[in-house]
mmCIF file of all heavy atoms in Angstrom:
data_model
loop_
_atom_site.group_PDB
_atom_site.id
_atom_site.type_symbol
_atom_site.label_atom_id
_atom_site.label_comp_id
_atom_site.label_asym_id
_atom_site.label_seq_id
_atom_site.Cartn_x
_atom_site.Cartn_y
_atom_site.Cartn_z
ATOM 1 N N SER Y 12 79.426 66.551 90.248
ATOM 2 C CA SER Y 12 78.598 66.583 88.959
ATOM 3 C C SER Y 12 79.525 66.017 87.889
ATOM 4 O O SER Y 12 80.733 66.224 87.701
ATOM 5 C CB SER Y 12 78.425 68.098 88.596
ATOM 6 O OG SER Y 12 78.007 68.255 87.164
ATOM 7 N N ALA Y 13 78.917 65.062 86.983
ATOM 8 C CA ALA Y 13 79.672 64.484 85.941
ATOM 9 C C ALA Y 13 80.237 65.502 84.950
ATOM 10 O O ALA Y 13 81.296 65.404 84.551
ATOM 11 C CB ALA Y 13 78.775 63.436 85.315
ATOM 12 N N LYS Y 14 79.421 66.417 84.575
ATOM 13 C CA LYS Y 14 79.742 67.449 83.665
ATOM 14 C C LYS Y 14 80.999 68.268 84.168
ATOM 15 O O LYS Y 14 81.967 68.598 83.471
ATOM 16 C CB LYS Y 14 78.691 68.326 83.178
ATOM 17 C CG LYS Y 14 77.719 67.723 82.384
ATOM 18 C CD LYS Y 14 76.710 68.605 81.665
ATOM 19 C CE LYS Y 14 75.768 69.099 82.729
ATOM 20 N NZ LYS Y 14 74.704 69.990 82.136
ATOM 21 N N ASN Y 15 80.991 68.679 85.527
ATOM 22 C CA ASN Y 15 81.968 69.439 86.055
ATOM 23 C C ASN Y 15 83.301 68.513 86.161
ATOM 24 O O ASN Y 15 84.378 69.141 86.052
ATOM 25 C CB ASN Y 15 81.576 70.002 87.416
ATOM 26 C CG ASN Y 15 80.583 71.157 87.341
ATOM 27 O OD1 ASN Y 15 80.435 71.777 86.297
ATOM 28 N ND2 ASN Y 15 79.834 71.472 88.441
ATOM 29 N N CYS Y 16 83.040 67.279 86.457
ATOM 30 C CA CYS Y 16 84.237 66.422 86.563
ATOM 31 C C CYS Y 16 84.872 66.334 85.255
ATOM 32 O O CYS Y 16 86.152 66.272 85.131
ATOM 33 C CB CYS Y 16 83.826 64.990 87.027
ATOM 34 S SG CYS Y 16 85.105 63.786 87.165
ATOM 35 N N ALA Y 17 84.219 66.232 84.165
ATOM 36 C CA ALA Y 17 84.737 66.164 82.775
ATOM 37 C C ALA Y 17 85.506 67.507 82.457
ATOM 38 O O ALA Y 17 86.594 67.460 81.956
ATOM 39 C CB ALA Y 17 83.693 65.937 81.839
ATOM 40 N N PHE Y 18 84.931 68.600 82.926
ATOM 41 C CA PHE Y 18 85.613 69.849 82.620
ATOM 42 C C PHE Y 18 86.795 69.970 83.392
ATOM 43 O O PHE Y 18 87.877 70.502 82.787
ATOM 44 C CB PHE Y 18 84.657 70.988 83.093
ATOM 45 C CG PHE Y 18 85.166 72.304 82.931
ATOM 46 C CD1 PHE Y 18 85.354 72.940 81.649
ATOM 47 C CD2 PHE Y 18 85.649 73.083 84.003
ATOM 48 C CE1 PHE Y 18 85.849 74.226 81.535
ATOM 49 C CE2 PHE Y 18 86.246 74.323 83.917
ATOM 50 C CZ PHE Y 18 86.228 74.889 82.632
ATOM 51 N N ILE Y 19 86.865 69.450 84.694
ATOM 52 C CA ILE Y 19 88.115 69.603 85.517
ATOM 53 C C ILE Y 19 89.183 68.655 84.781
ATOM 54 O O ILE Y 19 90.339 69.058 84.728
ATOM 55 C CB ILE Y 19 87.809 69.060 86.931
ATOM 56 C CG1 ILE Y 19 87.022 70.261 87.617
ATOM 57 C CG2 ILE Y 19 89.124 68.872 87.735
ATOM 58 C CD1 ILE Y 19 86.413 69.723 89.030
ATOM 59 N N SER Y 20 88.726 67.462 84.339
ATOM 60 C CA SER Y 20 89.613 66.516 83.663
ATOM 61 C C SER Y 20 90.376 67.154 82.346
ATOM 62 O O SER Y 20 91.518 67.073 82.093
ATOM 63 C CB SER Y 20 88.960 65.277 83.286
ATOM 64 O OG SER Y 20 88.607 64.589 84.385
ATOM 65 N N ILE Y 21 89.479 67.966 81.596
ATOM 66 C CA ILE Y 21 89.931 68.616 80.487
ATOM 67 C C ILE Y 21 91.059 69.674 80.750
ATOM 68 O O ILE Y 21 92.149 69.700 80.156
ATOM 69 C CB ILE Y 21 88.844 69.331 79.759
ATOM 70 C CG1 ILE Y 21 87.844 68.378 79.061
ATOM 71 C CG2 ILE Y 21 89.342 70.254 78.556
ATOM 72 C CD1 ILE Y 21 86.520 68.885 78.587
ATOM 73 N N ILE Y 22 90.834 70.388 81.809
ATOM 74 C CA ILE Y 22 91.765 71.485 82.258
ATOM 75 C C ILE Y 22 93.087 70.737 82.757
ATOM 76 O O ILE Y 22 94.166 71.186 82.394
ATOM 77 C CB ILE Y 22 91.191 72.301 83.261
ATOM 78 C CG1 ILE Y 22 89.971 73.140 82.868
ATOM 79 C CG2 ILE Y 22 92.290 73.351 83.850
ATOM 80 C CD1 ILE Y 22 90.251 74.061 81.561
ATOM 81 N N GLY Y 23 92.899 69.680 83.516
ATOM 82 C CA GLY Y 23 93.970 69.110 84.112
ATOM 83 C C GLY Y 23 94.901 68.411 83.107
ATOM 84 O O GLY Y 23 96.097 68.480 83.149
ATOM 85 N N ASN Y 24 94.253 67.789 82.147
ATOM 86 C CA ASN Y 24 94.959 67.175 81.046
ATOM 87 C C ASN Y 24 95.681 68.037 80.099
ATOM 88 O O ASN Y 24 96.777 67.883 79.542
ATOM 89 C CB ASN Y 24 94.064 66.203 80.237
ATOM 90 C CG ASN Y 24 93.731 64.902 80.937
ATOM 91 O OD1 ASN Y 24 94.537 64.322 81.655
ATOM 92 N ND2 ASN Y 24 92.479 64.477 80.806
ATOM 93 N N ALA Y 25 94.953 69.235 79.859
ATOM 94 C CA ALA Y 25 95.688 70.192 79.063
ATOM 95 C C ALA Y 25 96.912 70.865 79.738
ATOM 96 O O ALA Y 25 97.985 70.948 78.997
ATOM 97 C CB ALA Y 25 94.648 71.351 78.763
ATOM 98 N N ILE Y 26 96.857 71.029 81.042
ATOM 99 C CA ILE Y 26 97.924 71.509 81.774
ATOM 100 C C ILE Y 26 99.063 70.536 81.776
ATOM 101 O O ILE Y 26 100.291 70.848 81.563
ATOM 102 C CB ILE Y 26 97.572 72.009 83.190
ATOM 103 C CG1 ILE Y 26 96.703 73.158 83.203
ATOM 104 C CG2 ILE Y 26 98.863 72.194 84.136
ATOM 105 C CD1 ILE Y 26 96.045 73.468 84.592
ATOM 106 N N LEU Y 27 98.761 69.262 81.960
ATOM 107 C CA LEU Y 27 99.619 68.226 82.018
ATOM 108 C C LEU Y 27 100.410 68.136 80.644
ATOM 109 O O LEU Y 27 101.689 67.697 80.539
ATOM 110 C CB LEU Y 27 99.104 66.832 82.473
ATOM 111 C CG LEU Y 27 98.970 66.813 84.088
ATOM 112 C CD1 LEU Y 27 98.194 65.404 84.263
ATOM 113 C CD2 LEU Y 27 100.316 66.764 84.808
ATOM 114 N N PHE Y 28 99.585 68.151 79.632
ATOM 115 C CA PHE Y 28 100.195 68.077 78.267
ATOM 116 C C PHE Y 28 101.317 69.125 78.056
ATOM 117 O O PHE Y 28 102.422 68.751 77.585
ATOM 118 C CB PHE Y 28 99.141 68.245 77.180
ATOM 119 C CG PHE Y 28 99.828 68.501 75.847
ATOM 120 C CD1 PHE Y 28 100.438 67.477 75.107
ATOM 121 C CD2 PHE Y 28 99.681 69.840 75.287
ATOM 122 C CE1 PHE Y 28 101.059 67.815 73.823
ATOM 123 C CE2 PHE Y 28 100.181 70.042 73.998
ATOM 124 C CZ PHE Y 28 100.826 69.125 73.318
ATOM 125 N N PHE Y 29 101.044 70.356 78.321
ATOM 126 C CA PHE Y 29 101.998 71.410 78.068
ATOM 127 C C PHE Y 29 103.199 71.255 78.982
ATOM 128 O O PHE Y 29 104.360 71.373 78.491
ATOM 129 C CB PHE Y 29 101.286 72.762 78.227
ATOM 130 C CG PHE Y 29 100.406 73.104 77.301
ATOM 131 C CD1 PHE Y 29 99.067 73.284 77.385
ATOM 132 C CD2 PHE Y 29 100.984 73.471 76.008
ATOM 133 C CE1 PHE Y 29 98.236 73.659 76.411
ATOM 134 C CE2 PHE Y 29 100.121 73.959 74.882
ATOM 135 C CZ PHE Y 29 98.684 74.032 75.182
ATOM 136 N N ILE Y 30 102.978 70.897 80.259
ATOM 137 C CA ILE Y 30 104.174 70.715 81.140
ATOM 138 C C ILE Y 30 105.073 69.591 80.745
ATOM 139 O O ILE Y 30 106.351 69.627 80.646
ATOM 140 C CB ILE Y 30 103.633 70.538 82.597
ATOM 141 C CG1 ILE Y 30 102.951 71.706 83.133
ATOM 142 C CG2 ILE Y 30 104.730 70.012 83.555
ATOM 143 C CD1 ILE Y 30 102.322 71.671 84.515
ATOM 144 N N LYS Y 31 104.303 68.331 80.403
ATOM 145 C CA LYS Y 31 105.156 67.168 80.115
ATOM 146 C C LYS Y 31 105.863 67.439 78.737
ATOM 147 O O LYS Y 31 107.000 67.023 78.563
ATOM 148 C CB LYS Y 31 104.249 65.993 80.173
ATOM 149 C CG LYS Y 31 103.833 65.509 81.500
ATOM 150 C CD LYS Y 31 103.223 64.171 81.524
ATOM 151 C CE LYS Y 31 101.810 64.095 80.995
ATOM 152 N NZ LYS Y 31 101.093 62.883 81.210
ATOM 153 N N PHE Y 32 105.157 68.063 77.814
ATOM 154 C CA PHE Y 32 105.732 68.128 76.420
ATOM 155 C C PHE Y 32 106.947 69.058 76.534
ATOM 156 O O PHE Y 32 108.061 68.798 75.925
ATOM 157 C CB PHE Y 32 104.727 68.776 75.494
ATOM 158 C CG PHE Y 32 105.232 68.621 74.073
ATOM 159 C CD1 PHE Y 32 105.170 67.451 73.279
ATOM 160 C CD2 PHE Y 32 105.591 69.926 73.480
ATOM 161 C CE1 PHE Y 32 105.552 67.548 71.996
ATOM 162 C CE2 PHE Y 32 106.098 69.829 72.162
ATOM 163 C CZ PHE Y 32 105.991 68.715 71.415
ATOM 164 N N ALA Y 33 106.859 70.239 77.217
ATOM 165 C CA ALA Y 33 107.945 71.157 77.490
ATOM 166 C C ALA Y 33 109.076 70.552 78.151
ATOM 167 O O ALA Y 33 110.299 70.678 77.752
ATOM 168 C CB ALA Y 33 107.349 72.426 78.174
ATOM 169 N N ALA Y 34 108.714 69.693 79.243
ATOM 170 C CA ALA Y 34 109.760 68.967 80.045
ATOM 171 C C ALA Y 34 110.432 67.893 79.112
ATOM 172 O O ALA Y 34 111.689 67.708 79.306
ATOM 173 C CB ALA Y 34 109.194 68.415 81.272
ATOM 174 N N GLY Y 35 109.702 67.328 78.289
ATOM 175 C CA GLY Y 35 110.272 66.265 77.391
ATOM 176 C C GLY Y 35 111.232 66.922 76.342
ATOM 177 O O GLY Y 35 112.334 66.283 76.145
ATOM 178 N N ILE Y 36 110.808 68.002 75.781
ATOM 179 C CA ILE Y 36 111.722 68.753 74.904
ATOM 180 C C ILE Y 36 112.936 69.228 75.533
ATOM 181 O O ILE Y 36 113.967 68.909 75.151
ATOM 182 C CB ILE Y 36 110.906 69.955 74.160
ATOM 183 C CG1 ILE Y 36 109.709 69.274 73.310
ATOM 184 C CG2 ILE Y 36 111.851 70.726 73.304
ATOM 185 C CD1 ILE Y 36 110.209 68.570 72.166
ATOM 186 N N PHE Y 37 112.875 70.025 76.560
ATOM 187 C CA PHE Y 37 113.948 70.724 77.200
ATOM 188 C C PHE Y 37 114.746 69.844 78.099
ATOM 189 O O PHE Y 37 115.908 70.105 78.401
ATOM 190 C CB PHE Y 37 113.515 71.953 77.946
ATOM 191 C CG PHE Y 37 112.953 72.973 77.124
ATOM 192 C CD1 PHE Y 37 111.531 73.371 77.067
ATOM 193 C CD2 PHE Y 37 113.693 73.767 76.147
ATOM 194 C CE1 PHE Y 37 111.007 74.398 76.224
ATOM 195 C CE2 PHE Y 37 113.282 74.778 75.351
ATOM 196 C CZ PHE Y 37 111.971 75.021 75.317
ATOM 197 N N GLY Y 38 114.023 68.745 78.538
ATOM 198 C CA GLY Y 38 114.684 67.778 79.387
ATOM 199 C C GLY Y 38 115.289 66.555 78.715
ATOM 200 O O GLY Y 38 115.723 65.595 79.261
ATOM 201 N N HIS Y 39 115.016 66.545 77.335
ATOM 202 C CA HIS Y 39 115.472 65.518 76.473
ATOM 203 C C HIS Y 39 114.966 64.040 76.873
ATOM 204 O O HIS Y 39 115.806 63.079 76.894
ATOM 205 C CB HIS Y 39 117.065 65.526 76.461
ATOM 206 C CG HIS Y 39 117.696 66.790 76.261
ATOM 207 N ND1 HIS Y 39 117.531 67.432 75.125
ATOM 208 C CD2 HIS Y 39 118.366 67.600 77.070
ATOM 209 C CE1 HIS Y 39 118.245 68.661 75.203
ATOM 210 N NE2 HIS Y 39 118.572 68.809 76.461
ATOM 211 N N SER Y 40 113.745 63.998 76.984
ATOM 212 C CA SER Y 40 113.136 62.638 77.341
ATOM 213 C C SER Y 40 112.076 62.321 76.316
ATOM 214 O O SER Y 40 110.905 62.914 76.244
ATOM 215 C CB SER Y 40 112.472 62.700 78.710
ATOM 216 O OG SER Y 40 111.770 61.560 79.009
ATOM 217 N N GLN Y 41 112.358 61.259 75.439
ATOM 218 C CA GLN Y 41 111.378 60.747 74.544
ATOM 219 C C GLN Y 41 110.086 60.167 75.122
ATOM 220 O O GLN Y 41 109.041 60.309 74.689
ATOM 221 C CB GLN Y 41 111.976 59.769 73.559
ATOM 222 C CG GLN Y 41 113.099 60.407 72.715
ATOM 223 C CD GLN Y 41 113.710 59.345 71.811
ATOM 224 O OE1 GLN Y 41 113.033 58.836 70.942
ATOM 225 N NE2 GLN Y 41 115.002 59.344 71.828
ATOM 226 N N ALA Y 42 110.459 59.514 76.340
ATOM 227 C CA ALA Y 42 109.302 58.859 76.950
ATOM 228 C C ALA Y 42 108.267 59.949 77.580
ATOM 229 O O ALA Y 42 107.123 59.680 77.559
ATOM 230 C CB ALA Y 42 109.889 58.051 78.160
ATOM 231 N N LEU Y 43 108.720 61.021 78.094
ATOM 232 C CA LEU Y 43 107.933 62.047 78.545
ATOM 233 C C LEU Y 43 107.130 62.702 77.493
ATOM 234 O O LEU Y 43 106.021 63.107 77.693
ATOM 235 C CB LEU Y 43 108.715 63.051 79.356
ATOM 236 C CG LEU Y 43 108.040 63.891 80.397
ATOM 237 C CD1 LEU Y 43 107.247 63.047 81.403
ATOM 238 C CD2 LEU Y 43 108.897 64.801 81.028
ATOM 239 N N ILE Y 44 107.737 62.864 76.276
ATOM 240 C CA ILE Y 44 107.024 63.448 75.037
ATOM 241 C C ILE Y 44 105.926 62.552 74.719
ATOM 242 O O ILE Y 44 104.844 62.955 74.515
ATOM 243 C CB ILE Y 44 108.015 63.645 73.955
ATOM 244 C CG1 ILE Y 44 109.079 64.705 74.368
ATOM 245 C CG2 ILE Y 44 107.290 63.990 72.672
ATOM 246 C CD1 ILE Y 44 110.058 64.857 73.310
ATOM 247 N N ALA Y 45 106.249 61.133 74.619
ATOM 248 C CA ALA Y 45 105.138 60.254 74.363
ATOM 249 C C ALA Y 45 104.054 60.306 75.384
ATOM 250 O O ALA Y 45 102.814 60.254 74.995
ATOM 251 C CB ALA Y 45 105.789 58.769 74.395
#
Side-chain angles (χ1 to χ4, degrees):
S12 161
K14 287 189 291 185
N15 287 340
C16 177
F18 179 74
I19 291 171
S20 293
I21 291 169
I22 299 301
N24 284 325
I26 292 172
L27 283 174
F28 163 70
F29 285 111
I30 292 175
K31 288 192 286 189
F32 190 77
I36 294 293
F37 295 108
H39 309 294
S40 173
Q41 296 182 55
L43 200 56
I44 292 173

